[in-house]
Coordinates of all heavy atoms in Angstrom, one line a residue:
K1 N -11.5 153.8 -92.6 CA -12.2 154.0 -91.4 C -11.2 154.6 -90.3 O -11.6 155.5 -89.5 CB -12.9 152.9 -91.0 CG -13.8 153.1 -89.8 CD -14.7 151.9 -89.5 CE -15.6 152.1 -88.2 NZ -16.3 150.9 -87.9
E2 N -9.9 154.0 -90.3 CA -9.0 154.5 -89.2 C -8.5 155.9 -89.5 O -8.4 156.6 -88.5 CB -7.8 153.5 -89.4 CG -8.0 152.1 -88.8 CD -8.9 151.2 -89.8 OE1 -8.8 151.6 -91.0 OE2 -9.4 150.3 -89.3
V3 N -8.5 156.3 -90.7 CA -8.1 157.7 -91.0 C -9.2 158.6 -90.5 O -8.9 159.7 -89.9 CB -7.9 157.9 -92.5 CG1 -7.7 159.4 -92.7 CG2 -6.6 157.1 -93.0
L4 N -10.5 158.3 -90.7 CA -11.6 159.1 -90.2 C -11.6 159.1 -88.7 O -11.9 160.2 -88.1 CB -12.9 158.4 -90.8 CG -14.2 159.2 -90.6 CD1 -14.1 160.7 -91.2 CD2 -15.4 158.5 -91.2
L5 N -11.3 158.0 -88.1 CA -11.3 158.0 -86.6 C -10.2 159.0 -86.1 O -10.4 159.7 -85.1 CB -11.0 156.6 -86.1 CG -12.2 155.6 -86.2 CD1 -11.7 154.2 -85.9 CD2 -13.3 156.0 -85.3
D6 N -9.1 159.0 -86.7 CA -7.9 159.8 -86.3 C -8.4 161.3 -86.4 O -8.1 162.1 -85.6 CB -6.7 159.6 -87.1 CG -6.1 158.3 -86.8 OD1 -6.3 157.7 -85.7 OD2 -5.3 157.8 -87.6
L7 N -9.1 161.6 -87.5 CA -9.6 163.0 -87.7 C -10.6 163.4 -86.6 O -10.4 164.6 -86.0 CB -10.2 163.2 -89.0 CG -9.3 163.1 -90.3 CD1 -10.1 163.0 -91.6 CD2 -8.5 164.3 -90.4
F8 N -11.5 162.5 -86.3 CA -12.4 162.9 -85.2 C -11.7 163.1 -83.8 O -12.0 164.0 -83.1 CB -13.4 161.8 -85.0 CG -14.5 161.7 -86.3 CD1 -14.9 160.5 -86.6 CD2 -14.8 162.8 -86.8 CE1 -15.9 160.4 -87.7 CE2 -15.9 162.8 -87.8 CZ -16.3 161.6 -88.3
N9 N -10.7 162.2 -83.5 CA -9.9 162.3 -82.2 C -9.2 163.7 -82.2 O -9.2 164.3 -81.1 CB -9.0 161.2 -82.1 CG -9.8 159.9 -81.9 OD1 -10.9 159.9 -81.3 ND2 -9.2 158.7 -82.3
K10 N -8.6 164.1 -83.3 CA -7.9 165.3 -83.3 C -8.7 166.6 -83.0 O -8.3 167.6 -82.5 CB -7.2 165.5 -84.7 CG -6.0 164.6 -84.9 CD -5.3 164.7 -86.2 CE -4.2 163.8 -86.4 NZ -3.6 163.9 -87.8
H11 N -10.0 166.6 -83.5 CA -10.8 167.6 -83.4 C -11.8 167.5 -82.2 O -12.7 168.4 -81.9 CB -11.7 167.8 -84.7 CG -10.9 168.2 -85.9 ND1 -10.2 167.4 -86.6 CD2 -10.6 169.5 -86.3 CE1 -9.7 168.1 -87.6 NE2 -9.9 169.3 -87.4
G12 N -11.6 166.4 -81.3 CA -12.3 166.4 -80.1 C -13.7 165.8 -80.3 O -14.7 166.1 -79.4
Y13 N -14.1 165.0 -81.4 CA -15.4 164.4 -81.6 C -15.4 163.0 -81.1 O -14.4 162.2 -81.5 CB -15.8 164.6 -83.1 CG -16.1 166.0 -83.4 CD1 -15.2 166.7 -84.2 CD2 -17.2 166.6 -83.0 CE1 -15.6 168.0 -84.6 CE2 -17.6 168.0 -83.4 CZ -16.7 168.6 -84.2 OH -17.0 169.9 -84.5
K14 N -16.5 162.5 -80.5 CA -16.6 161.1 -80.2 C -17.5 160.4 -81.2 O -18.6 160.8 -81.3 CB -17.1 160.9 -78.7 CG -17.2 159.5 -78.3 CD -17.7 159.5 -76.9 CE -17.8 158.0 -76.4 NZ -18.5 158.0 -75.1
P15 N -16.9 159.5 -81.9 CA -17.8 158.8 -82.9 C -19.0 158.0 -82.2 O -18.8 157.3 -81.2 CB -16.9 157.7 -83.6 CG -15.4 158.3 -83.2 CD -15.6 158.9 -81.9
V16 N -20.2 158.1 -82.8 CA -21.3 157.4 -82.4 C -21.6 156.3 -83.4 O -21.9 155.2 -83.0 CB -22.5 158.3 -82.3 CG1 -23.8 157.5 -81.9 CG2 -22.3 159.4 -81.3
E17 N -21.4 156.6 -84.7 CA -21.7 155.6 -85.7 C -21.0 156.0 -87.0 O -20.9 157.1 -87.4 CB -23.3 155.6 -86.0 CG -23.7 154.5 -87.0 CD -25.2 154.6 -87.2 OE1 -25.6 155.6 -87.9 OE2 -25.9 153.6 -86.8
I18 N -20.3 155.0 -87.5 CA -19.5 155.2 -88.8 C -19.9 154.1 -89.7 O -19.7 152.9 -89.4 CB -18.1 155.2 -88.6 CG1 -17.6 156.4 -87.7 CG2 -17.3 155.3 -89.9 CD1 -16.1 156.4 -87.4
I19 N -20.5 154.3 -90.9 CA -20.9 153.3 -91.9 C -20.3 153.6 -93.2 O -20.5 154.7 -93.8 CB -22.4 153.2 -91.9 CG1 -23.0 152.9 -90.6 CG2 -22.8 152.1 -92.9 CD1 -24.6 152.9 -90.6
E20 N -19.7 152.5 -93.8 CA -19.1 152.7 -95.1 C -20.3 152.4 -96.1 O -21.0 151.5 -96.0 CB -18.1 151.7 -95.5 CG -17.5 151.8 -96.8 CD -16.4 150.7 -97.1 OE1 -16.0 150.0 -96.2 OE2 -15.8 150.7 -98.2
K21 N -20.5 153.4 -97.0 CA -21.5 153.4 -98.0 C -21.2 152.4 -99.1 O -20.2 152.4 -99.7 CB -21.8 154.8 -98.6 CG -22.4 155.8 -97.7 CD -22.9 157.0 -98.5 CE -24.1 156.6 -99.3 NZ -24.8 157.8 -100.0
T22 N -22.1 151.5 -99.3 CA -22.0 150.4 -100.4 C -23.4 150.4 -101.0 O -24.3 151.1 -100.6 CB -21.7 149.1 -99.8 OG1 -22.7 148.6 -98.9 CG2 -20.4 149.1 -99.1
F23 N -23.5 149.6 -102.1 CA -24.8 149.5 -102.7 C -25.8 148.9 -101.8 O -27.0 149.4 -101.8 CB -24.7 148.5 -103.9 CG -26.0 148.1 -104.6 CD1 -26.6 149.0 -105.4 CD2 -26.5 146.9 -104.3 CE1 -27.7 148.6 -106.0 CE2 -27.8 146.5 -104.8 CZ -28.4 147.5 -105.7
V24 N -25.4 148.0 -100.9 CA -26.2 147.3 -100.0 C -26.9 148.3 -99.0 O -28.0 148.4 -98.7 CB -25.7 146.2 -99.2 CG1 -26.6 145.7 -98.2 CG2 -25.2 145.1 -100.2
T25 N -25.9 149.2 -98.4 CA -26.4 150.2 -97.4 C -27.3 151.2 -98.1 O -28.2 151.8 -97.4 CB -25.3 150.8 -96.8 OG1 -24.4 151.4 -97.8 CG2 -24.4 149.8 -96.0
D26 N -27.0 151.6 -99.3 CA -27.8 152.6 -100.0 C -29.2 152.0 -100.3 O -30.2 152.8 -100.1 CB -27.2 153.0 -101.5 CG -26.1 153.9 -101.3 OD1 -25.9 154.5 -100.1 OD2 -25.2 154.1 -102.1
V27 N -29.2 150.8 -100.7 CA -30.5 150.1 -101.1 C -31.5 150.0 -99.7 O -32.6 150.2 -99.7 CB -30.3 148.7 -101.7 CG1 -31.6 147.9 -101.7 CG2 -29.8 149.0 -103.2
S28 N -30.7 149.7 -98.6 CA -31.4 149.5 -97.3 C -32.1 150.8 -96.8 O -33.0 150.6 -96.0 CB -30.5 149.0 -96.3 OG -29.5 149.9 -95.9
Q29 N -31.6 151.9 -97.3 CA -32.3 153.1 -96.9 C -33.6 153.5 -97.7 O -34.2 154.4 -97.4 CB -31.3 154.3 -97.1 CG -30.0 154.2 -96.1 CD -30.4 154.1 -94.8 OE1 -31.2 154.9 -94.3 NE2 -29.9 153.0 -94.0
L30 N -33.8 152.8 -98.8 CA -35.0 152.9 -99.6 C -36.2 152.6 -98.8 O -36.1 151.6 -98.0 CB -35.0 152.1 -100.8 CG -33.9 152.5 -101.9 CD1 -33.9 151.5 -103.0 CD2 -34.0 153.9 -102.4
S31 N -37.3 153.4 -98.9 CA -38.5 153.1 -98.2 C -39.0 151.7 -98.2 O -39.6 151.2 -97.3 CB -39.5 154.0 -98.6 OG -39.9 153.9 -99.9
I32 N -38.9 151.1 -99.4 CA -39.4 149.7 -99.6 C -38.7 148.7 -98.7 O -39.2 147.5 -98.5 CB -39.4 149.3 -101.0 CG1 -38.0 149.3 -101.7 CG2 -40.4 150.1 -101.9 CD1 -37.9 148.8 -103.1
F33 N -37.5 149.0 -98.3 CA -36.7 148.2 -97.5 C -36.7 148.5 -96.0 O -36.2 147.7 -95.2 CB -35.2 148.0 -98.0 CG -35.1 147.4 -99.4 CD1 -35.0 148.3 -100.4 CD2 -35.1 146.0 -99.5 CE1 -34.8 147.7 -101.8 CE2 -34.9 145.5 -100.7 CZ -34.8 146.2 -101.9
R34 N -37.3 149.6 -95.7 CA -37.4 150.0 -94.3 C -38.5 149.4 -93.6 O -39.6 149.4 -94.2 CB -37.3 151.5 -94.2 CG -36.1 152.2 -94.7 CD -36.2 153.7 -94.5 NE -36.3 154.1 -93.1 CZ -36.7 155.4 -92.7 NH1 -37.0 156.2 -93.6 NH2 -36.7 155.6 -91.5
K35 N -38.4 148.9 -92.4 CA -39.6 148.5 -91.7 C -40.6 149.5 -91.4 O -40.1 150.6 -90.8 CB -39.1 147.8 -90.4 CG -40.3 146.9 -89.8 CD -39.7 146.1 -88.6 CE -40.9 145.3 -88.0 NZ -40.4 144.6 -86.8
K36 N -41.8 149.4 -91.7 CA -42.8 150.4 -91.5 C -43.2 150.5 -90.0 O -43.1 149.5 -89.2 CB -44.0 150.1 -92.3 CG -43.9 150.2 -93.8 CD -45.1 150.0 -94.5 CE -45.0 150.2 -96.0 NZ -46.3 150.1 -96.7
V37 N -43.5 151.6 -89.7 CA -44.1 151.9 -88.3 C -45.5 151.6 -88.3 O -46.3 152.4 -88.9 CB -43.7 153.3 -87.7 CG1 -44.3 153.5 -86.4 CG2 -42.2 153.5 -87.7
K38 N -46.0 150.6 -87.7 CA -47.5 150.2 -87.7 C -48.3 150.9 -86.6 O -47.7 151.5 -85.7 CB -47.6 148.7 -87.6 CG -46.9 147.9 -88.8 CD -47.1 146.4 -88.5 CE -46.3 145.7 -89.7 NZ -46.5 144.2 -89.5
T39 N -49.6 150.7 -86.7 CA -50.4 151.3 -85.7 C -50.2 150.9 -84.3 O -50.2 151.6 -83.3 CB -51.9 151.0 -86.1 OG1 -52.1 151.5 -87.4 CG2 -52.8 151.8 -85.2
V40 N -49.9 149.5 -84.2 CA -49.6 148.9 -82.9 C -48.3 149.5 -82.3 O -48.2 149.6 -81.1 CB -49.5 147.3 -83.0 CG1 -48.3 146.9 -83.9 CG2 -49.5 146.7 -81.6

């Protein structure tokens, strides 16, 4: 992650969000694990 931050700083980009992809983060993006937007 530190290497990625250095690359962004060199090119003038400000990080908003950096997430390391793992099995858990991949699974959490599936629709069955995402909280639904209800009528309310």
Side-chain angles (χ1 to χ4, degrees):
K1 187 176 180 179
E2 288 72 23
V3 173
L4 187 58
L5 286 169
D6 288 338
L7 286 171
F8 288 145
N9 289 330
K10 286 178 182 178
H11 291 85
Y13 290 107
K14 183 180 179 181
V16 176
E17 184 180 72
I18 298 175
I19 300 174
E20 182 180 355
K21 289 194 71 176
T22 62
F23 173 77
V24 175
T25 57
D26 282 346
V27 168
S28 66
Q29 295 304 309
L30 295 174
S31 60
I32 57 174
F33 292 99
R34 295 179 66 194
K35 188 172 182 180
K36 291 184 177 180
V37 177
K38 299 180 180 178
T39 306
V40 65

